[in-house]
Amino acid sequence: MRTEPGGCCCRRPVRAKDCVANGEVRNGYVRISAATAAAAAGQIHHVTQNGALYKRPFNEGFEETPMLVAVLTYVGYGVLTLFGYLRDFLRHWRIEKCHHATEREEQKDFVSLYQDFENFYTRNLYMRIRDNWNRPICSVPGARVDIMERQSHDYNWSFKYTGNVIKDVINMGSYNYLGFARNTGPCQEAAAKVLEEYGVGVCSTRQEIGNLDKHEELEKLVASFLGVEAAMTYGMGFATNSMNIPALVSKGCLILSDELNHASLVLGARLSGATIRVFKHNNMQSLEKLLKDAIVYGQPRTRRPWKKILILVEGIYSMEGSIVRLPEVIALKKKYKAYLYLDEAHSIGALGPTGRGVVDYFGLDPEDVDIMMGTFTKSFGASGGYIGGKKELIDYLRTHSHSAVYATSLSPPVVEQIITSMKCIMGQDGTTLGPSLLWPLPLQSTGSGHAGPAAMAHGPSRSMACGILPDRGTNPCPLHRQADSQPLCHQRSPSGSFLNCIILCEDVIHCVAMFCSHSI
Amino acid sequence: MATVAEQWVLVEMVQALYEAPAYHLILEGILILWIIRLLFSKTYKLQERSDLTVKEKEELIEEWQPEPLVPPVSKDHPALNYNIVSGPPSHNIVVNGKECINFASFNFLGLLDNPRLKAAALASLKKYGVGTCGPRGFYGTFDVHLDLEDRLAKFMKTEEAIIYSYGFATIASAIPAYSKRGDIVFVDKAACFAIQKGLQASRSDIKLFNHNDMDDLDRLLKEQEIEDQKNPRKARVTRRFIVVEGLYMNTGTICPLPELVKLKYKYKARIFLEESLSFGVLGEHGRGVTEHFGIDIDDIDLISANMENSLASIGGFCCGRSFVIDHQRLSGQGYCFSASLPPLLAAAAIEALNIMEENPDIFAVLKEKCKRIHNALQGISGLKVVGESISPAFHLQLEESTGCRERDVKLLQEIVTQCMDRGIALTQARYLEKEEKYLPPPSIRVVVTVEQTEEELEKAATTISKVAQTVLL
């Protein structure tokens, strides 16, 4: 039983009847004995931390992939690839019907739009399990959701909607951490009022004539929520990163980016033209080495000193569910005079005793983080992103951010939703609803945490489990890493990052049980 | 020589050794020993070893000073203080406390305060709430999104459409999904910033041709053809794209699409058409520049537009044949890695499409109004009109620049401020001066909407004329 970083010890999760203990693999063929299970459990890496910087113990454990599972996964991919070549051959010689769309007759002699191999994966591997993604829903993405039933009669090449709706599925797949995505209640009423008054669109950019009084109000509120001097908001979370990082750094600067950073951070870093160096995930030794080498040796070849060094980290990494080692990063940043860009897309509203994010969680000073970025999509049930920091930073972004000059501003009802939900979390709406939403999250995520049902599953069986589960009343979503650098991904659902605080405890237990009974 | 070599026998070699003079043997021995020593000795370094000691490294770390995170911005930077709009940015807009008629928002069809749109969005809000809480792949696909994609595809008469949650991200994600490193893209010099960012993200070879100059494009394509003949293997895997806008944001001109289609088939390049301004404006039914010129839509490989202008919503879409569009569902970064469009915005867009389909005569009305104000603004002393007569968003540039961009910007800002004082809301066209490849000259953007009455158009023309005379003298 791990000590919860909040200081409270939580009850050991109740295991349902068929559930396996951590470290065991049960697939009907191999059952690891108790001794090796204990040894496997010992393989959970407890990464040591720099004790002096952490006010409370910080334990993160990640399971190692068992050797058998790893080998079988690769074998599985190999088999699928062989079959893929066979099917391509059959399709080419028209023995098998070709389901996917092809180029027009008039353009057949153009250079082909897709390289053959680019689409090999899509045609032959992804198509088999395609039904696990893009499932349409037709209700609020709350604790329970209605999924539209769809069937495929040609092995996932095309889908038909039967018209039925699978009602009341336990939702373990939406990023609705605090339950603000709802169609009733004060947020929705406020948003409805603003919609009536302001309409839906804005039709202009912030610098031209799209800056509404609502936007100014929101920005002041965000600044006070985060505890920073000023803030600026943008229409899309992804675009916040990809359009503002290029405004902050340019050629001659260095970006140190975590291995598992989100695609938007990677795109923003690439578009900026700065040099990018990647450090191992959450590994402070790797980061320190890179910082030292960067300052001592300067730019490659010319040896000129770097203009600026920017460290890109996220609050919670959506791919692993790990939390950044913020005290250590800040200590390093101060020692080496680098700047810190913290992307709190998942952690804002969800971490910390007052919901102020990972800075609050570690009890640190928001002024230590140079650029605090986050999105409103997850905890606030809206859309858009923000950047908070010192006034000079925000003034600069107001004049030089790509989004302020060329992209439309946030829609007014969405702004109102953010304002209302933020005020609720801060307790400024006169109720205690906000704080009451925050406390169950750590309990629930321990209840199902990494150790238990983040079941290792290789490709086919994982998605088979996902295929069955909506029919059994719960809807996890398999992680699909396109780069496929790590074919052994955790099954995402109950790893804490998708938990909706309004989900009932019984539902969580039910999900965990379902999961265990379907994983290998 | 060969025969001599055959006769060489080991015994004879040893005999030769005995018979050689002593000094010869000693010399040879010394040379052999010297060679062995050279082979095994360490290499001779001309410079001292360049490894730094730990102390030196620490000193370097101490000494290094980074630049400040952001350079200071002066208080009177023209873009620092935004205009604050109180209330909805509709036809009658309150900017900085002054009531004005809106000639600055891209609300071409006047749908921003349309009650039907508001009602549809409200119904969606009551059903789904505001946010979708997930990307399209993970339970962020709502039936509203599928409906909207279906409707857009039917409206544009293409096979498929795909929607994005942000207009800027639409073309900026679409281009890198198809064009990769090593591919060639021919793009107009006046392309908007979103296209430039998409091209930068794609890492392809960019070839710029003069604005709307088909001869220049022909020349570039021909040069590329000659290059291809030199290296046919490489040419067989290099994709070619032409990226143009239907109605250019920076110049208000329309691209010559028929010639482009001819060039497409001649040189086998694919066309990507950005129709943010022309969707819902050009063409008999508002289908854009393809309808305007009467071109078969299947000839255009990808049409991308944002829903933030004519449809008065937020977001963007791409439409085209399934063969092309389906690829973006896995490769479009802004589609896969971002939360989906809030359903109320999608519902508003569907309603806007309904209105467009029910009232096809608004497009003709809009064209009329554009022509009217275009004519009325001709001949203003000091300002010239830049843009086509049927373009609803055109520019007013200084006839004679003062020589310094800052001063030009100040003059135009003065005109804009005085117009706002007199009840006409205008705006300067904003650019990022250091980031644009071909920075357009400073200008005032005038936007025409169907809601503007004839009197208002007249008033605008006379106001601008008077103010220009006062300011520019």
Side-chain angles (χ1 to χ4, degrees):
Chain A
M1 193 162 73
R2 287 182 290 136
T3 319
E4 180 55 37
C8 58
C9 284
C10 302
R11 282 175 37 227
R12 181 179 283 265
V14 172
R15 258 189 228 125
K17 200 175 120 212
D18 289 324
C19 202
V20 295
N22 185 30
E24 247 185 68
V25 167
R26 192 215 300 195
N27 60 2
Y29 298 112
V30 173
R31 185 188 289 253
I32 298 178
S33 68
T36 43
Q43 276 172 33
I44 294 175
H45 290 261
H46 286 283
V47 197
T48 54
Q49 75 274 27
N50 187 339
L53 294 169
Y54 290 81
K55 298 186 183 122
R56 295 183 281 253
F58 180 72
N59 276 327
E60 271 191 339
F62 294 95
E63 271 180 72
E64 274 272 297
T65 315
M67 176 63 92
L68 179 67
V69 176
V71 168
L72 284 179
T73 304
Y74 283 113
V75 167
Y77 273 109
V79 167
L80 285 170
T81 312
L82 281 174
F83 268 97
Y85 281 124
L86 174 67
R87 302 288 283 276
D88 273 350
F89 176 77
L90 293 174
R91 274 190 280 259
H92 183 69
W93 290 104
R94 301 192 200 281
I95 302 170
E96 187 182 327
K97 184 172 158 204
C98 186
H99 291 269
H100 59 264
T102 47
E103 181 65 281
R104 281 168 91 201
E105 275 310 315
E106 296 91 329
Q107 291 179 212
K108 275 265 153 65
D109 53 346
F110 282 40
V111 175
S112 78
L113 188 55
Y114 310 118
Q115 304 292 10
D116 232 7
F117 191 71
E118 233 171 54
N119 276 17
F120 180 87
Y121 176 82
T122 315
R123 273 197 309 274
N124 299 307
L125 277 78
Y126 173 69
M127 271 306 164
R128 292 169 177 270
I129 49 173
R130 192 163 89 112
D131 57 322
N132 291 304
W133 290 281
N134 294 299
R135 287 212 172 104
I137 67 178
C138 49
S139 73
V140 180
R144 299 222 170 207
V145 77
D146 298 337
I147 300 184
M148 288 168 67
E149 198 186 23
R150 59 181 187 176
Q151 281 175 354
S152 175
H153 299 288
D154 50 2
Y155 302 102
N156 293 343
W157 285 100
S158 64
F159 292 106
K160 284 197 178 36
Y161 295 97
T162 59
N164 286 343
V165 171
I166 309 174
K167 283 202 175 292
D168 281 343
V169 178
I170 300 172
N171 189 356
M172 302 289 274
S174 294
Y175 299 110
N176 186 11
Y177 301 147
L178 299 180
F180 279 112
R182 40 175 90 176
N183 56 358
T184 52
C187 292
Q188 182 265 348
E189 283 161 23
K193 230 168 110 226
V194 167
L195 200 158
E196 286 288 347
E197 194 192 333
Y198 284 78
V200 163
V202 183
C203 294
S204 189
T205 65
R206 288 299 291 281
Q207 283 197 1
E208 293 181 7
I209 208 152
N211 181 41
L212 307 178
D213 45 2
K214 281 274 160 211
H215 295 128
E216 302 274 329
E217 187 191 332
L218 173 62
E219 287 176 356
K220 286 199 185 69
L221 185 64
V222 169
S224 81
F225 179 76
L226 296 172
V228 292
E229 286 178 21
M232 185 166 177
T233 52
Y234 305 92
M236 185 196 197
F238 184 98
T240 309
N241 280 331
S242 63
M243 302 217 258
N244 288 307
I245 297 179
L248 293 169
V249 290
S250 58
K251 207 160 162 225
C253 303
L254 176 67
I255 292 182
L256 297 175
S257 159
D258 189 290
E259 218 179 2
L260 296 182
N261 269 340
H262 189 255
S264 56
L265 288 165
V266 173
L267 181 63
R270 272 184 40 213
L271 286 177
S272 66
T275 311
I276 307 173
R277 293 200 182 140
V278 174
F279 62 91
K280 295 205 184 68
H281 176 57
N282 243 356
N283 186 327
M284 295 300 116
Q285 288 80 24
S286 170
L287 175 58
E288 183 160 16
K289 181 167 189 310
L290 283 180
L291 277 165
K292 264 205 189 111
D293 286 346
I295 300 177
V296 165
Y297 295 113
Q299 298 189 30
R301 287 169 55 227
T302 58
R303 297 282 190 225
R304 288 206 191 107
W306 295 104
K307 288 200 229 162
K308 287 179 239 183
I309 299 183
L310 185 68
I311 305 174
L312 294 182
V313 288
E314 291 189 39
I316 290 184
Y317 290 90
S318 52
M319 287 284 149
E320 293 285 312
S322 51
I323 301 177
V324 68
R325 306 173 157 280
L326 198 59
E328 290 176 66
V329 174
I330 289 185
L332 280 174
K333 160 203 117 99
K334 283 184 177 157
K335 181 175 174 196
Y336 293 98
K337 292 173 263 186
Y339 299 111
L340 179 59
Y341 186 107
L342 178 64
D343 179 343
E344 293 207 83
H346 288 270
S347 52
I348 190 73
L351 275 188
T354 53
R356 300 309 207 260
V358 72
V359 173
D360 192 28
Y361 180 74
F362 286 111
L364 299 167
D365 183 6
E367 298 208 351
D368 283 337
V369 179
D370 301 287
I371 306 149
M372 293 182 76
M373 177 265 168
T375 62
F376 300 119
T377 328
K378 283 100 188 168
S379 300
F380 301 96
S383 72
Y386 67 84
I387 287 191
K390 295 218 156 43
K391 188 155 185 318
E392 299 87 56
L393 169 71
I394 300 300
D395 280 346
Y396 181 81
L397 286 177
R398 280 169 78 100
T399 48
H400 291 82
S401 161
H402 303 184
S403 172
V405 186
Y406 295 106
T408 316
S409 28
L410 274 165
S411 167
V414 174
V415 172
E416 190 59 28
Q417 159 83 13
I418 304 167
I419 292 177
T420 326
S421 56
M422 202 174 265
K423 282 193 176 146
C424 182
I425 296 177
M426 290 165 83
Q428 283 181 10
D429 60 338
T431 68
T432 50
L433 177 62
S436 72
L437 292 171
L438 296 168
W439 71 266
L441 266 183
L443 276 181
Q444 297 214 338
S445 43
T446 326
S448 44
H450 302 296
M456 285 302 166
H458 24 143
S461 57
R462 162 188 65 186
S463 41
M464 184 193 71
C466 290
I468 295 175
L469 287 176
D471 303 323
R472 304 286 196 94
T474 176
N475 67 339
C477 35
L479 259 189
H480 172 73
R481 261 190 258 236
Q482 266 185 274
D484 229 17
S485 53
Q486 295 171 29
L488 312 166
C489 337
H490 298 258
Q491 182 119 23
R492 204 200 286 215
S493 86
S495 64
S497 58
F498 277 69
L499 277 182
N500 185 331
C501 74
I502 55 177
I503 255 186
L504 302 168
C505 273
E506 299 90 70
D507 287 349
V508 173
I509 294 167
H510 174 69
C511 288
V512 167
M514 300 259 51
F515 231 64
C516 295
S517 66
H518 283 290
S519 53
I520 292 185
Chain B
M1 283 308 280
T3 43
V4 171
E6 279 168 33
Q7 286 170 18
W8 270 97
V9 178
L10 192 65
V11 175
E12 286 199 12
M13 281 165 74
V14 174
Q15 245 184 347
L17 207 67
Y18 278 135
E19 283 166 12
Y23 72 88
H24 192 104
L25 286 174
I26 292 169
L27 192 60
E28 297 256 358
I30 291 173
L31 284 174
I32 289 172
L33 285 171
W34 192 256
I35 289 171
I36 292 172
R37 184 182 166 234
L38 281 176
L39 278 173
F40 285 107
S41 71
K42 288 187 183 161
T43 46
Y44 180 71
K45 270 196 179 135
L46 282 169
Q47 295 158 343
E48 284 179 7
R49 289 173 60 84
S50 57
D51 279 0
L52 299 165
T53 62
V54 174
K55 189 157 174 290
E56 284 171 338
K57 284 187 186 174
E58 278 176 21
E59 275 174 20
L60 282 170
I61 292 172
E62 280 274 334
E63 280 170 13
W64 179 70
Q65 284 299 333
E67 280 180 9
L69 178 59
V70 290
V73 173
S74 79
K75 278 202 176 40
D76 34 54
H77 192 288
L80 181 57
N81 298 309
Y82 297 160
N83 295 320
I84 300 184
V85 174
S86 331
S90 52
H91 178 61
N92 293 311
I93 189 174
V94 179
V95 187
N96 297 333
K98 303 172 214 146
E99 274 206 34
C100 303
I101 303 167
N102 195 346
F103 277 84
S105 301
F106 291 115
N107 182 16
F108 303 136
L109 303 179
L111 294 173
L112 261 182
D113 46 2
N114 187 301
R116 276 175 62 178
L117 241 81
K118 289 188 188 175
L122 196 59
S124 174
L125 176 62
K126 292 205 170 109
K127 186 174 176 199
Y128 299 106
V130 174
T132 54
C133 297
R136 287 292 292 260
F138 303 150
Y139 302 100
T141 306
F142 284 46
D143 45 355
V144 200
H145 299 133
L146 299 173
D147 271 341
L148 178 57
E149 287 180 355
D150 212 32
R151 288 295 305 278
L152 283 166
K154 283 207 180 73
F155 180 77
M156 294 294 285
K157 298 202 177 134
T158 56
E159 284 178 18
E160 201 173 330
I162 178 174
I163 49 178
Y164 285 80
S165 54
Y166 206 45
F168 189 101
T170 311
I171 190 68
S173 304
I175 295 178
Y178 301 101
S179 182
K180 312 274 185 208
R181 204 193 283 268
D183 296 331
I184 303 171
V185 184
F186 299 92
V187 66
D188 193 300
K189 279 184 180 164
C192 67
F193 195 71
I195 295 180
Q196 290 174 33
K197 285 293 131 185
L199 292 171
Q200 193 185 350
S202 72
R203 300 198 256 213
S204 319
D205 290 327
I206 315 293
K207 296 199 159 56
L208 294 144
F209 62 90
N210 294 330
H211 177 53
N212 271 354
D213 186 349
M214 291 298 107
D215 295 325
D216 199 30
L217 176 58
D218 196 48
R219 175 186 63 88
L220 283 173
L221 285 163
K222 227 180 237 141
E223 279 172 17
Q224 185 56 40
E225 209 182 24
I226 296 171
E227 281 290 321
D228 288 342
Q229 279 160 4
K230 286 187 199 150
N231 194 344
R233 272 187 84 187
K234 188 173 165 206
R236 242 179 287 141
V237 291
T238 310
R239 293 170 280 225
R240 264 140 266 186
F241 301 99
I242 302 175
V243 179
V244 283
E245 285 181 53
L247 189 57
Y248 286 90
M249 170 96 92
N250 292 345
T251 60
T253 47
I254 301 178
C255 75
L257 202 54
E259 284 92 14
L260 277 164
V261 174
K262 279 200 201 102
L263 285 172
K264 165 188 170 166
Y265 285 111
K266 185 172 170 197
Y267 294 101
K268 311 216 184 314
R270 293 189 163 85
I271 298 185
F272 285 176
L273 187 58
E274 219 281 325
E275 290 221 75
S276 291
L277 284 187
S278 50
F279 178 76
V281 166
L282 293 181
E284 207 188 308
H285 297 99
R287 294 199 176 97
V289 75
T290 46
E291 204 185 22
H292 179 78
F293 285 112
I295 289 177
D296 178 16
I297 201 145
D298 282 337
D299 280 335
I300 310 296
D301 295 274
L302 179 85
I303 294 182
S304 148
N306 70 24
M307 305 194 286
E308 293 160 359
N309 302 335
S310 308
L311 289 180
S313 180
I314 306 272
F317 69 93
C318 287
C319 61
R321 303 189 304 280
S322 285
F323 174 70
V324 180
I325 298 297
D326 208 45
H327 182 69
Q328 283 180 53
R329 295 202 192 268
L330 277 184
S331 312
Q333 294 225 320
Y335 180 83
C336 301
F337 297 112
S338 177
S340 48
L341 185 66
L344 64 101
L345 299 170
I350 295 178
E351 194 58 31
L353 270 179
N354 288 342
I355 294 176
M356 275 168 70
E357 284 177 348
E358 288 163 19
N359 310 323
D361 43 325
I362 45 173
F363 307 111
V365 168
L366 181 62
K367 282 199 187 75
E368 264 310 305
K369 298 202 176 176
C370 294
K371 282 191 196 137
R372 185 184 286 274
I373 194 161
H374 203 94
N375 285 333
L377 286 171
Q378 300 284 357
I380 295 183
S381 57
L383 291 176
K384 60 177 179 195
V385 179
V386 173
E388 303 237 357
S389 60
I390 49 170
S391 162
F394 56 89
H395 296 258
L396 289 170
Q397 288 174 11
L398 289 170
E399 247 172 19
E400 271 179 44
S401 161
T402 55
C404 164
R405 195 187 168 93
E406 262 193 61
R407 247 178 290 151
D408 286 349
V409 166
K410 274 210 178 79
L411 277 173
L412 290 170
Q413 189 56 42
E414 189 50 43
I415 298 179
V416 165
T417 320
Q418 289 202 19
C419 283
M420 269 204 240
D421 289 334
R422 289 172 172 73
I424 301 288
L426 292 172
T427 177
Q428 273 202 65
R430 299 280 184 191
Y431 305 105
L432 275 173
E433 285 162 18
K434 296 209 178 70
E435 308 271 338
E436 287 265 5
K437 277 215 173 91
Y438 287 92
L439 186 60
S443 63
I444 297 175
R445 187 183 286 129
V446 181
V447 177
V448 183
T449 75
V450 280
E451 286 187 312
Q452 291 155 357
T453 61
E454 311 227 334
E455 295 87 42
E456 285 165 350
L457 290 171
E458 286 293 327
K459 181 180 172 206
T462 37
T463 315
I464 296 173
S465 182
K466 267 198 208 110
V467 168
Q469 270 185 341
T470 338
V471 172
L472 298 172
L473 260 167

